[in-house]
Amino acid sequence: MTTKTDDPSGRPHANREIGSVLLPEGSAGAVRRWYPTQWPRIGGTKLLPLPSDAFLTDAFLSQYRPGFLTFAYAAGCGYHPHNPAAQGLVGIARRLNAPLHKLSATTQSDPTTRLRELSRGRYGALTMTAEGHLCSELGFDTWTFQVLLPVGRPLEGSPVTVQERGLSVRLPHDLGSEEFEKRMHDLMQDCSLGAWLESPGGIAHCRMADIDRRTLRRYSTYGFNATWRRSVANEIYFFRPKTDDVDRLIRIIEVIIHRHVTLGAAVANVSFLSRGQGIEKERAV
């Protein structure tokens, strides 16, 4: 990975050969080869702006009432103890030579239940072969939470607490978990794998690395008795859980909560009723 500058000679590893080896032979790391690709970062190159006393002011404290507890996480999947061919999301990351993880949140009292659901449903397993056929890749039934190691810490008074394998978030009483998750995605969507694959940078990288982009697009299938629904797996992002990417995730969550509490109705909702789940559109009263 490099940092873009106007002067190519000033770039780190400017003289490296494209595709040159970064890790020793046999390494299990995902980023094994060097490419002059500027990977997207959630929240941009800097933390989203928020005053250091944002959660200590009267404007916030007078309006904030604690609601549901939710657990924001980064998850990965891949190596299977009995099947070396099953590589899951790790395999996709290794093909791209980029850091990829699933980012989302759950209100389940035992967050590991969400992992069992993801593994049972093989989240993100469905893709397209180079010949244009749908297929389900192996290794997407081993989802695990990743250890988060931020560089800094949440702001003083923040409703976000860093746990070892996730972020404990106390939502405002009038911010639903579904809306919270959608607002997270709304602020991070440019860094999702799906969006990046359709971007000029994604197209250029896949051409440079000789990768068919169709084989990287991820979908999930959801069974409803005798019927099935296919959805885009849009919660896979470029994310490094042991770097300041975690600080960016914390700040994104803090900004969502602070804006909701202090701006109220001025913040537009981005969630929606899922007609794929059989929920009909709300009728005007």
Side-chain angles (χ1 to χ4, degrees):
M1 293 181 288
T2 66
T3 300
K4 287 186 175 179
T5 65
D6 294 331
D7 179 9
S9 64
R11 296 178 182 174
H13 311 299
N15 297 322
R16 274 190 179 275
E17 181 181 353
I18 292 176
S20 58
V21 175
L22 292 174
L23 298 177
E25 183 69 25
S27 172
V31 185
R32 299 170 298 154
R33 296 183 178 276
W34 181 83
Y35 288 93
T37 300
Q38 183 67 44
W39 304 111
R41 306 190 73 179
I42 63 168
T45 57
K46 297 181 180 179
L47 293 179
L48 293 180
L50 202 61
S52 59
D53 64 345
F55 299 108
L56 303 176
T57 64
D58 289 340
F60 179 82
L61 293 174
S62 63
Q63 298 296 322
Y64 175 73
R65 288 168 50 196
F68 285 127
L69 188 65
T70 190
F71 182 80
Y73 62 84
C77 66
Y79 301 116
H80 192 283
H82 308 304
N83 187 356
Q87 295 192 15
L89 189 58
V90 172
I92 307 304
R94 285 167 66 86
R95 284 158 61 188
L96 268 179
N97 283 279
L100 294 174
H101 290 86
K102 181 187 186 297
L103 301 180
S104 192
T106 178
T107 54
Q108 298 193 63
S109 56
D110 180 0
T112 60
T113 301
R114 183 58 184 146
L115 291 178
R116 296 199 298 273
E117 293 174 347
L118 293 172
S119 296
R120 176 65 179 270
R122 292 173 171 78
Y123 181 88
L126 193 66
T127 189
M128 191 82 70
T129 67
E131 294 74 30
H133 304 295
L134 286 173
C135 71
S136 184
E137 293 190 325
L138 301 175
F140 286 86
D141 56 350
T142 58
W143 287 97
T144 58
F145 291 135
Q146 305 299 294
V147 174
L148 300 182
L149 298 178
V151 175
R153 62 184 63 184
L155 295 176
E156 186 177 354
S158 172
V160 181
T161 304
V162 179
Q163 307 289 347
E164 185 174 347
R165 285 178 170 78
L167 304 173
S168 178
V169 183
R170 194 67 183 269
L171 298 177
H173 74 285
D174 55 352
L175 177 59
S177 58
E178 178 73 13
E179 176 66 19
F180 169 68
E181 288 183 53
K182 295 301 182 184
R183 291 186 189 182
M184 279 180 59
H185 177 68
D186 198 48
L187 289 176
M188 302 189 302
Q189 59 182 325
D190 289 344
C191 295
S192 69
L193 174 62
W196 179 81
L197 285 172
E198 308 307 318
S199 71
I203 294 171
H205 177 84
C206 290
R207 184 181 298 118
M208 181 168 42
D210 194 24
I211 301 173
D212 188 329
R213 289 184 299 131
R214 293 178 299 176
T215 66
L216 298 178
R217 297 186 181 114
R218 315 315 302 174
Y219 305 91
S220 295
T221 55
Y222 299 91
F224 299 91
N225 199 6
T227 62
W228 290 84
R229 173 171 62 89
R230 182 181 73 186
S231 296
V232 176
N234 58 13
E235 294 180 350
I236 296 174
Y237 299 89
F238 292 88
F239 184 79
R240 301 168 301 168
K242 298 173 180 61
T243 70
D244 59 355
D245 282 1
V246 182
D247 299 84
R248 290 177 168 80
L249 178 60
I250 292 171
R251 180 55 57 85
I252 285 171
I253 295 172
E254 290 179 331
V255 165
I256 290 171
I257 293 176
H258 191 267
R259 285 177 180 173
H260 179 83
V261 171
T262 58
L263 299 180
V267 180
N269 289 334
V270 294
S271 59
F272 52 87
L273 295 176
S274 176
R275 300 188 69 178
Q277 294 272 24
I279 302 175
E280 294 296 330
K281 185 177 181 181
E282 288 181 315
R283 297 178 180 178
V285 178

